[in-house]
Amino acid sequence: MHKAARWMTVVIVGMLSTSLAACSTGGSASNAPSASGARDNVTITFAQFGNSLDDASGLASDPIKKAIESAVGITLKYDTGAEGFEDRMSTELAAGTSPDIFPTWSVDKFQSWAKDGALLDLAKVVNADPTRYPVLAKIFASTQYQAYNKLYAGDPSVAYGIYSVSGLPHPSFAGVPVYNQAILDKVNGGAVPQTVDQFVTFTEAAAKSGVAGWWPRNDKLTNWSEIDSTIALPQGTSIAPPASNTFSGFVKTGDDQWKLTTTSDQSKAVVQQLAAMYKDNALDSGVGVKGDFDDAYANFGLSKIASVNFGFGYAGQFRDFWKTAWKEANPKTAKVTDLTQGVALQGSAGYPQIYQFSAPIGAFWVVPATVKNPERVVDLLEYIASEQGQTTIFQGVEGLTFNAGSDGQPSYIDGAWDKINKAYGTSDGRGQYVWFDYVFSTASMMTELQTKDWFEAVRNPVDHSSLWATDQDKELLQASQSVIDTFVDKVVVTLPDYYNQMVLDEKAAKIQAKLAEISNRYLAAFVGGQMDIETGWPKYVAEYQAAGAGDYETMVNQAVQTAKTLGG
Amino acid sequence: MTALDVPKSPVGTPAVPADPVPARAGGGRGGGWRRTVRKHWFTYMLALPGLVFLLVFSYGPMYGIQLAFKNFSVSKGVWGSPWVGLDNFREMAADPVFWTALQNTIMINVWNLLFGFTFNILLALLINELRLRWLKSGVQTLVYLPYFLSWVVFAGLIGAFLSTSSDGGVINTILAGAGLKEVDFLRTPELFQPVLVVSNIIKTAGYSSIIYLAAIASADPALYESAAIDGANRIQMMRHITLPRIMPSIVVLLILQLATLFQSNFDQVYNLYSSFVYSTGDVLSTYIYRMSLGGGGNFELSTAVNLLFNVAGLIIIVFANRIVEKLDVMGIF
Amino acid sequence: MQTQTVDAPAPARPRPRLRRRRRLRFNLFDVFVVFFTVTFALVCFYPMWYVFLASITPYSEFIQTKLMLWFPQTVDFQYYVAVFSTEAFANALFISVAKTVLGTALSVVVTSMMAYAVSKKHLPGMTAINALVVFTLLFSGGLIPEYMLYRDLGMLQTFWVMVLPQVLSVFYFIIMRNYFAYAAPKELEEAAMIDGAGEIRTFFQIILPTAKPMLAAVALFIAVNHWNDFYSYMMFVSKVPELQPFAWVLRRTLVDPSMMNQIRNQAVGSGLPVLPPIGLRMATIVIAMLPIIMVYPFLQRFFAKGMMLGALKE
């Protein structure tokens, strides 16, 4: 009994002391040494989304990391994550424990942090000593950069972040199906559909032959962009609800004139067409319920779906799709020619027109205001922006990852980059570093910031992926590159630069969210046959108007005009 | 296995109170208080570590609740952020989708209570009636398994099971084989809530029944024996011995479940629903999720919704507790 | 105690022989019980069985089979080899075991001690403490203040932040408190007290032994929660990959492509072909579940009927 009491006391004392011990050890660990001298070696933490840090030995022997460390005179620490990453970054920023440089993809967050004074004004640091940061000084002096400064922070001379631009060579677009060539041969004489009518006929024929005609990616029936671009836009209407940062749901009716067509009569006709396709399984009747990636990939791989849209925005995505959906299901027989990437379909209104901004900001890289060594952190950013830094990240170290060719083009040393990047959980065999690669361009491509104007450089990043691709990858890339080139010529319409300065306020954002809700609900019910389109459509239109569709259209047109006056 | 030397019947007889004068019943406060503590120092010491953890880790951060009425500013912190009053709540009330989501959340929880909660009890009672020892532990182990599959995986399996016969869905293949009409479970709004309830039962019933099995295990075998001698049949024994034995657990779990009347299992609903079934499947958590990703940036909305429904949950359990105490059953307060 | 007032027959008259005879009667009720529970058990078992089969079936065969019931034509353990060749896994298993064992032990001790103390409602202050605990069942300060607290305590990026904040388990506190107040054999406790045993001895010799089934059940629940918890790592420790628990590794193989690539790369590095993700996911699920599932049969013996009195007789 006494033993028991003693035991209990031991437990309690032990518990309290472990807690105390935990606190004291943790406390000393978190006290980073503060920098004293100007160029002492300091530790700088850089965070990026979606890598892995599980391979400790690979991380320790990474030569590129070492090259950057010695060039900048710092010790680099990496921080990463996928799920929970954005929440963690916000929390850590609030608690003062965040990495020294990290990205956010949310305009809302960036603006509210900037307004709060939570972020370091990079321009201020750079302008205090422009000779130390020549490339950044040049960037911050660019008119377009300052226009963004004004847009986000209200002041052209204040740069609260590095704006990472989604560059042009890889336009984000939708609406090109990829076909199973064998099914195409069987039910369509091998011909690739060129028009909406031909496509619908093909999918119906495929459905009659016992396979699903078409799988347009549409997560839980809340993402209508593939269906919209493939079927609706060529017919001169958009059935999709408005979305932030795109002109989804809108049709251009004149110079800077936009019309919201989600609930137009033409949209109604398109929805009727879709419902008919859905009923016959010409539009896969599992769409929205089955998983886009697991189920649809598997069925496509088994030749149970005749055509698929997955938003093949750039050549590499077709390559990846072929590998994951096709090759894994048919490991022994798969050939590149088994799949055929189709073309954008023409309809009564010709080719679909997909409007995009000339320099959409993909991400914001920020430095917390409370950062310990602001000058050193900016040193790192300056290095990344410099030609030397870009070379290190996108080509590597000479003799180690590449050899300089006589024609000025580098030749890559086989497997060298793979070895470095594998430590961080990539397997796409890319010949460039997986850190810092999208600080300036979200296309993950080299930017010539030192020699070119910022706007010029980030809009035209250098795609050197053909230098490191394997032969099969080259074949795959080439297979889709010509399709993409045509697509960019015929379909993608780049909006004038002043569109980049378009801002919609919070009220508009709330209307937009509501409109998306309403559309998702009605479109699903119409297409799925749960609601009769004839009787349901007026209700849809009424609810749309009640939620502020008309106001939203006005707001968008006004925002365009305002941007034009300011920026044009 | 000699004769049981338990002195009294473990139930029924009024016990002699351990502390003859319960301090709560009034009487000398001040000095009596101190004396009670000194007398029961060991009991108080038992509560101490838990209390420390409670105060530090639960009440330490509690000041964060004020964020529901604030617009959080990263640099000013929780205390320094500006007040926005009830704006977050007003906006919510103006959205019809919110009301649909609220109604669905409550309905799903009521079904879960009516079917899921009772099924757990039934399962525990029936498992307890299994007389082959190996079968009993085998069944217990098997029903416990699905709890460990995440909803991402489990929902995928449910989808495959409920799909059309041409896609190989088992249920529809059976229906088609029997010459019946196929049922589109995941796309029919009226069927979506039943699918949620049943899938929840399969996933959690075995796990939840453990707590009852543990309570049953502490019942006195002598009671069953004497009941058997008196000619009681198995169902009667279940009703009159086993059920009362687990009644305290049932009551507590019932109150705890009532407290979550406005909460929903995001992982479950999110992985099973689609736009097809918003009218019956959209719940508060999925609604908030879509609102905050839909460009509205409604972070404050979720804080406000949580606070509102936690207050509602608290009111419910206080009332439920009152009722329960009136019925002379132990509540949670 | 009123809940226990049953119209049960007179006090116990032990008849060991009779028990044996009772066991022989096997009636319609038993048939129903067996049918019902076995059917439900099979329904519950199938998802797990499916996951297991998917983890040993080659992809090309997997996607062609709609409803897997039995072993595939070719049984393929490549996925397991691949998962085990990934560096992060062994360490994560160790962290998970440490977190679960330590966390559960602390949590069960602290929670049950407090639950027992607070079940003495007549002692001044206990009702108030109980209300304090119940309040936290519904309300919490939220992520940001919690984060600040752990920062100020120096617990961020340490193992302890995955254990200490969860030590007091409110849900199981409430269940145990009720158990101690109403279901625990109070007569024994009171008898012991009257015998002059004192609180300490009563607690250790009467209360704890009789509460074993309940303690085992609660320990199981808390252990399962600990085993499945990845949020505390994700938010508070994620800068230290060496401390990631297995639940987080599993979660990442389900949702984070870089983790999947990590497994695939390391598998290729050890001479395996490039494997499709679905099988790797399934294998990871099986590996993540096995240890915690094994805990149950081990604890099950505590739930066997008669445990309580067996413990008392000595």
Side-chain angles (χ1 to χ4, degrees), chain B residues 50-96:
Chain B
L51 195 61
V52 171
F53 279 102
L54 180 76
L55 293 177
V56 172
F57 290 109
S58 298
Y59 282 91
M62 201 57 94
Y63 65 95
I65 285 183
Q66 54 182 300
L67 279 180
F69 308 96
K70 282 189 159 181
N71 193 357
F72 181 60
S73 148
V74 173
S75 55
K76 295 189 190 101
V78 174
W79 292 107
S81 295
W83 294 96
V84 294
L86 296 176
D87 284 5
N88 296 326
F89 296 93
R90 267 188 221 112
E91 187 189 313
M92 191 166 70
D95 189 348

Side-chain angles (χ1 to χ4, degrees), chain A residues 116 220-221 278 285 517 530, chain B residues 73-75 187 270 275 290:
Chain A
D116 267 4
K220 299 189 176 287
L221 291 181
Y278 180 88
S285 57
E517 278 286 324
Q530 295 158 353
Chain B
S73 148
V74 173
S75 55
R187 264 171 292 215
Y270 183 75
S275 298
R290 289 201 314 278

Side-chain angles (χ1 to χ4, degrees), chain B residues 211-292:
Chain B
I211 206 91
Y212 298 125
L213 287 167
I216 294 172
S218 54
D220 181 4
L223 277 177
Y224 293 94
E225 283 164 18
S226 48
I229 292 160
D230 292 347
N233 68 26
R234 300 263 298 282
I235 296 174
Q236 283 168 331
M237 284 194 268
M238 197 201 268
R239 260 190 64 202
H240 298 300
I241 303 175
T242 316
L243 201 57
R245 184 78 213 163
I246 61 176
M247 196 48 91
S249 307
I250 292 177
V251 169
V252 177
L253 289 171
L254 183 68
I255 297 179
L256 290 175
Q257 189 150 344
L258 279 172
T260 60
L261 192 63
F262 300 108
Q263 290 166 18
S264 40
N265 186 340
F266 176 83
D267 273 349
Q268 183 194 14
V269 177
Y270 183 75
N271 283 303
L272 282 171
Y273 86 152
S274 67
S275 298
F276 286 126
V277 291
Y278 273 3
S279 56
T280 57
D282 193 19
V283 291
L284 287 170
S285 55
T286 51
Y287 162 75
I288 292 167
Y289 175 78
R290 289 201 314 278
M291 285 294 116
S292 35

